Structure formats: structure tokens, C-alpha cells
Amino acid sequence: MVLVSAVRDYVNRMLQDISGMKVLILDSQTVSIVSIVYSQSELLQKEVFLVELVDSISMSKESMSHLKAVYFLRPISENIQHLRRQLATPRFGEYHLFFSNMLKDTQIHILADSDEQEVVQQVQELYADFVAADPYHFTLNIPSNHIYMLPAVVDPSGLQHFCERVVDGIAAVFLAFKRRPVIRYQRTSDIAKRIAQETAKLMYQQESALFDFRRTEISPLLLILDRRDDPVTPLLNQWTYQAMVHELIGIQDNKVDLRNIGKLSKDQQEVVLSSEQDAFFKVNMYENFGDIGMNIKRMVDDFQQVAKSNQNIQTVEDMAKFVDNYPEYRKMHGNVSKHVTLVTEMSKIVEERKLMVVSETEQELACNGGQGAAFEAVMNLLNNDNVSDIDRLRLVMLYALRYEKESPVQLMQLFNKLASRCPKYKPGLVQFLLKQAGVDKRTGDLYGNRDFLNIARNMARGLKGVENVYTQHQPLLLQTMESIIKNRMKDVDYPFVGNHYQQGRPQDVIIFIVGGTTYEESRSVALQNATNSGVRFMLGGSVVLNSKRFLKDLEEAQRIAKSSPSVL
């Protein structure tokens, strides 16, 4: 079973047994959960004629007794209060209440007491409290993601709220799959340990009966990691399709906002990138940028033959012009024109920010040794007027993470140069990153320096020359998956919670990264699953990161840390 179909099944179940015209009422989080797996036209087929948010529908007094109200909400007190008020003066003929997770007894009593006019037909729990971005990748879209970097004393209630949301999301995934896992966590992370313990408490104590499914021989594994164990992956430019779109333009709930790009027709201003709804994207989402351009050109060439056109199409710009000149092509292949638009825009950004030069140095910093050459390359790019401020910052961060112990003098020179070239960045942000995610804080072998096999692998990679210099980096997650497959995870680095241990290797593994995942990592998971190793992986996180979001979280945590003496 995969994540997307699990959520789709729940939405189907919610809508298909209620006949007649319906209004679907969601909250700010369930709107993402539903919209990512269900299109508007599919909702219409289920006779949903109106979709509203629970807080805005409170404002209206107009009676709509001809409609049946289907609520799908997170079971939080704010939503229960909205419902209490709405049931006191019902506007719809019937009320069907569905919740994305476990309801507390007190909440059920509040709803029962509020339904004086007996309009509620049913109350059900559907365990879809996560956003299924891809078949093996989910996110929780937690807005205050920076909180994972702060010690508990700084904002105890904020941290508690964050942890509860993560535990709820993880619990829903396992309830959807009807399994109870053994739980391990990254030893060096306080927040990973706390989330692991709270999840175990929920599954084995508080709601033990709910999680008591028929035993399988081997329990699934839940592994909780901390983003700070691999701060390199979210800092790198990306060159495979899905990851690159997110890095350069941004993806939110599988939608890409293109309103800031030139004169686009209305239907192209927000486009959907979903492997479930777009066959071209499904085939190409993990391909590298050069191949994408060729694959789109092939589709355009096919149409040219049909249209008997003999325009000479050599560049991305030629493709974009061709699509503009043939409106019927856009109609026939709305999908292709969307991809042409995206590739055209990304080509412009790559050229403007000189990303090929920048990215080559980034990959060298992430994958290969050679500190003297790295220092020179970074210094040259800091002095290059064509390089943007955000790229300068990322280069210095990548250098600092790699060589923090080796070259304090040169590191200081880079800090000073960065401060003079990019005054808008808060001073000390790179140093704050090292405090958060420096070598003393990390568990994993980020640069392959500890394990002899990794050293050999890195040398071999450097010697034979990499097929594509821009995609040679592999996230630390790949090593983690390999060690699970080979049953070599060290208990001392990744302890079990409680007395629930695993004998032998698991068949199903959910890895949750507190602080967020990247599309580079979700690609590694999908490619690993395609190898049929006998272990199936799923990846989840508090948000989906690109470098902008990672830096924003870092800046926010630094701002709070500065004003809180107990942190530093």
C-alpha cells in the first residue's frame, strides 16, 4: 500500500456513501491533505458543489438545507469549537463529521451535547493526518518548523505543540497501514528522542488497544532522525526535475505558483506537478535537467509532424515560442506546455545566477576533499558579481561544514568576505549553523570519513570521473537505508525505545526526519524501493525543504536564540 492511495481511499469512503448534493468543509491543514490526492473534477463527480473552510463558513448565516455538509477536520480544540457553534444553529440538512485522527472522549461529548437538533448523521475517524506528496513521501507542513532547533527551555509550549503534531502525523500513518512499529531514534538528538518516546507511549500505552493489530512476524521499523545530522542536502542546488523545480521556483502541496513569471495564460499561472495526475512528470520527475529538455523536445517534435510544421527547434526558447504560436498544441498538450514553461523559467534562473559554476563548487565541497582548492574556488565565487547573495551564503556554509576543524584562519577570511559582500545576512548565521549541525553534533558519517568502505567509495567516485558532475552528491539517508538493508545499524547510535526490539531486518521502514525532508531524499527512497531489496521504505518529515526554507528556519532560530540567554 502506498501513501497516496491510502488517503484517496479515505476520501472516497467519506464521499461515496452520502448521496446527493454536498458541501465539503475543511480546515487549513485538511485542505492540503485532500487537494493533493483529489482534483476539483473528481470532487464534482462525487456531487461536491462547494468546498469551504471551517473558519470562514462560520461567518455566513444563509440557510442551505438542500445541501449535506461533509466535514473533514483535524481533531483540535479550535475545530471542535467551530463545530459546536455551527451545530447550535445548523444551516445544512445533514451533518457528516469525519476527523483525520483520534478523537478524545471529551471532544465526542462536546459534539454530542451540541447536536440538540439531531442533524449529525455520523462521526468517524479516518487516519489521514498527513499530506501524501508522493507514493512514498509524506509531509506534515508544520509552519513553525524552526522550533526543532531550539532547546526545550526556550519555548516549552511551542515545542510541545510541535512534538504533538509530529506524533499525531506518525500515528495516523501507522493506523492507516494497520501496523505498530518498533521505534528507534538518533541518539545525539534530544527532539528525536522525545518524539520517539512520546510515539511509543501513545502506541504501547495510551492507545495500545487501537494499535493492537494482528501480529506479523516482523514488525515495521519507525526511525526518527534529526535534519541537523545532514545539513548539506538542503543547502545544495538540485539538478533532477522535481527537486530542481522546488529549489528554483517552489512547490507547495504539488502546486507550482508561476504568477510572477512573465505573461502566462490564466490556466498556466498555477500548475500541478503530481506523479498521479501527470504521466510525463511521473516518468521524468527523477531525471536530470539535460534529459528533461530532450524528452520535452521529443514530444514537441511528435506534434510538429502531426501539425505539418517544420520550425527548427533547437533551444528551450524555441520550444517556448512554438508552444505560444500553436494554441491548439497547448490545448492538446496542456501538460507539455506546462513543462516547457517550467524548463524555460529554470533555464533563465540557471543562467542569471550562474548556477552551473556555483553548483560545480558546491558538489566538490559536498563530495570530494581538497581544502586548498575549495577555499580558492569559494573565494573566487564570493568576489564574482554575477553570484547572488543566497548562493554566496550557501557556499560559505558548505565550506564551513566540511572544513570547520581544519582551517579556522581561512574560515574566518570567508566569514569576513561574506559579511562585506552580503551585509543583508545576519552576522553569525554560518557560526550558528555550526553550533546546530557541526561535526560534534552529528551521528552519521556525513562525508564518509569514518568508515573504510565509504572512503574507498569516495575515492573511486573521484577517480573515474562522475557521469554528471552536478548530481554526484548522495544524501546521508542513502547510507542509512543501506545499513538497514544490511542489518548493520548500531544500537549505540540508534537506540530502540522501551523493550521492543527487532530480530532480523524489517520489511517495512518509515524514516521520519524532524526538521524536514528534501525531494533529493524522496528520490533516493523511490529509487531504492525500485531495486526490490526486500525492504520497503517510506519517508516523512515536518516540512519539505529547499535551501530558502532551510535558511529561513535557521535565521528564525538564530533570532530567538539571540534574545534568549539560556540558548547560547
Side-chain angles (χ1 to χ4, degrees):
M1 190 140 171
V2 294
L3 292 157
V4 175
S5 48
V7 180
R8 272 188 71 83
D9 289 351
Y10 279 134
V11 180
N12 282 335
R13 200 191 304 177
M14 193 162 67
L15 298 175
Q16 68 196 14
D17 295 337
I18 303 163
S19 60
M21 290 168 66
K22 296 180 274 288
V23 54
L24 179 60
I25 297 163
L26 305 167
D27 62 37
S28 60
Q29 286 181 296
T30 56
V31 75
S32 296
I33 293 168
V34 172
S35 70
I36 212 162
V37 298
Y38 233 76
S39 66
Q40 294 278 183
S41 54
E42 286 176 306
L43 286 174
L44 273 171
Q45 283 165 15
K46 298 277 192 229
E47 299 183 280
V48 174
F49 291 97
L50 198 59
V51 179
E52 291 280 358
L53 284 173
V54 68
D55 43 1
S56 57
I57 208 158
S58 295
M59 313 297 175
S60 177
K61 298 283 179 277
E62 177 194 354
S63 171
M64 291 184 165
S65 52
H66 61 295
L67 289 177
K68 295 173 181 177
V70 179
Y71 283 77
F72 179 49
L73 307 173
R74 292 203 66 240
I76 55 174
S77 55
E78 192 185 336
N79 286 338
I80 300 294
Q81 291 311 314
H82 281 307
L83 266 173
R84 196 171 61 80
R85 286 191 291 274
Q86 288 166 32
L87 290 172
T89 53
R91 294 171 49 212
F92 302 104
E94 290 178 11
Y95 284 69
H96 301 262
L97 310 183
F98 298 92
F99 292 91
S100 66
N101 216 318
M102 296 166 272
L103 277 165
K104 297 186 179 81
D105 287 348
T106 50
Q107 293 174 324
I108 296 168
H109 291 314
I110 291 170
L111 293 174
D113 292 345
S114 311
D115 185 26
E116 287 180 7
Q117 300 188 37
E118 297 185 353
V119 286
V120 175
Q121 305 298 305
Q122 58 177 324
V123 178
Q124 278 195 50
E125 296 172 349
L126 304 179
Y127 305 113
D129 207 7
F130 52 90
V131 177
D134 289 308
Y136 302 108
H137 181 207
F138 70 93
T139 175
L140 302 180
N141 284 353
I142 299 179
S144 54
N145 189 51
H146 63 275
I147 280 184
Y148 81 97
M149 295 189 206
L150 298 168
V153 291
V154 175
D155 181 1
S157 68
L159 189 70
Q160 183 57 27
H161 192 67
F162 178 93
C163 291
E164 281 170 5
R165 177 66 191 101
V166 172
V167 173
D168 286 348
I170 291 171
V173 170
F174 282 99
L175 286 169
F177 293 137
K178 299 187 167 47
R179 306 290 296 279
R180 174 161 53 188
V182 296
I183 303 170
R184 299 177 76 166
Y185 62 90
Q186 181 187 316
R187 179 186 52 80
T188 50
S189 166
D190 288 343
I191 191 159
K193 179 179 183 180
R194 177 171 173 172
I195 286 167
Q197 288 175 336
E198 288 184 15
T199 305
K201 191 173 166 191
L202 177 79
M203 293 179 175
Y204 286 93
Q205 294 170 29
Q206 294 158 338
E207 296 292 345
S208 130
L210 192 57
F211 283 89
D212 195 11
F213 301 110
R214 187 172 56 81
R215 295 285 160 85
T216 50
E217 278 176 34
I218 302 170
S219 296
L221 168 66
L222 167 64
L223 175 63
I224 313 270
L225 303 176
D226 189 313
R227 175 74 269 161
R228 290 167 291 185
D229 211 35
D230 175 7
V232 168
T233 299
L235 283 170
L236 291 172
N237 262 304
Q238 297 299 322
W239 295 91
T240 58
Y241 195 27
Q242 183 187 36
M244 193 175 180
V245 173
H246 188 45
E247 177 58 32
L248 298 184
I249 303 173
I251 302 174
Q252 181 63 42
D253 298 335
N254 288 1
K255 294 185 190 75
V256 184
D257 184 347
L258 296 170
R259 279 173 303 192
N260 299 331
I261 296 170
K263 297 188 181 94
L264 289 177
S265 63
K266 207 163 183 207
D267 61 330
Q268 293 281 306
Q269 289 183 357
E270 184 181 79
V271 297
V272 175
L273 275 188
S274 160
S275 58
E276 300 291 305
Q277 296 170 29
D278 179 336
F280 179 85
F281 183 63
K282 185 175 187 168
V283 173
N284 289 282
M285 60 198 282
Y286 302 135
E287 296 295 326
N288 72 50
F289 192 50
D291 293 339
I292 300 294
M294 297 308 294
N295 294 348
I296 295 176
K297 183 181 185 307
R298 209 166 294 131
M299 286 174 99
V300 174
D301 287 346
D302 290 348
F303 179 78
Q304 274 193 298
Q305 287 181 334
V306 177
K308 309 274 188 291
S309 153
N310 55 3
Q311 257 176 274
N312 185 17
I313 294 179
Q314 294 299 331
T315 66
V316 168
E317 284 73 22
D318 294 341
M319 273 196 283
K321 272 192 204 116
F322 172 82
V323 172
D324 282 345
N325 293 341
Y326 279 88
E328 70 269 32
Y329 177 81
R330 193 187 286 131
K331 224 170 274 167
M332 250 180 77
H333 284 285
N335 225 3
V336 184
S337 61
K338 158 176 89 182
H339 295 294
V340 170
T341 302
L342 287 170
V343 170
T344 308
E345 181 58 23
M346 292 196 297
S347 299
K348 274 188 212 149
I349 295 169
V350 167
E351 178 49 40
E352 275 164 20
R353 284 171 52 185
K354 302 292 175 248
L355 289 184
M356 293 187 96
V357 184
V358 170
S359 186
E360 202 168 331
T361 300
E362 287 178 5
Q363 291 284 328
E364 283 296 310
L365 286 167
C367 304
N368 304 312
Q371 183 247 322
F375 173 76
E376 208 168 299
V378 173
M379 191 55 98
N380 286 340
L381 287 168
L382 288 181
N383 284 318
N384 184 334
D385 291 337
N386 293 316
V387 174
S388 71
D389 284 357
I390 191 169
D391 294 324
R392 289 187 180 122
L393 175 67
R394 289 185 307 102
L395 284 162
V396 174
M397 285 181 162
L398 289 164
Y399 180 93
L401 286 164
R402 178 103 210 199
Y403 300 112
E404 65 176 299
K405 299 287 191 197
E406 287 174 46
S407 56
V409 174
Q410 287 174 311
L411 200 50
M412 195 46 73
Q413 285 176 277
L414 290 177
F415 289 162
N416 293 337
K417 175 61 73 176
L418 181 69
S420 69
R421 295 300 310 234
C422 317
K424 73 171 189 175
Y425 279 113
K426 297 187 178 73
L429 194 62
V430 188
Q431 292 91 321
F432 184 71
L433 172 66
L434 292 178
K435 274 201 185 90
Q436 288 287 329
V439 67
D440 300 337
K441 292 284 202 303
R442 300 194 297 262
T443 302
D445 190 3
L446 186 57
Y447 295 107
N449 299 332
R450 298 180 209 161
D451 178 342
F452 179 73
L453 263 177
N454 282 334
I455 294 168
R457 194 185 299 152
N458 286 348
M459 277 176 68
R461 214 189 305 175
L463 287 172
K464 70 173 184 242
V466 178
E467 205 176 300
N468 184 342
V469 69
Y470 302 108
T471 53
Q472 55 182 310
H473 172 259
Q474 293 176 332
L476 183 63
L477 184 71
L478 201 65
Q479 277 181 45
T480 309
M481 290 192 288
E482 277 175 18
S483 62
I484 291 171
I485 291 166
K486 292 173 181 162
N487 208 12
R488 284 192 189 147
M489 270 198 117
K490 293 185 182 138
D491 293 7
V492 62
D493 288 335
Y494 301 97
F496 288 89
V497 179
N499 54 0
H500 307 283
Y501 300 104
Q502 198 139 36
Q503 301 303 321
R505 73 172 194 181
Q507 291 165 347
D508 289 288
V509 179
I510 291 185
I511 298 174
F512 189 91
I513 305 181
V514 183
T517 55
T518 66
Y519 283 120
E520 186 187 348
E521 288 161 330
S522 74
R523 174 178 182 267
S524 295
V525 167
L527 296 180
Q528 178 58 58
N529 285 341
T531 64
N532 297 323
S533 65
V535 183
R536 183 179 64 165
F537 291 93
M538 287 191 183
L539 177 66
S542 41
V543 294
V544 183
L545 295 165
N546 53 15
S547 62
K548 235 183 241 124
R549 178 63 198 260
F550 182 66
L551 291 170
K552 182 174 159 260
D553 288 340
L554 202 63
E555 284 189 330
E556 187 57 19
Q558 185 201 18
R559 185 188 65 74
I560 294 167
K562 272 186 169 164
S563 58
S564 174
S566 55
V567 178
L568 297 176

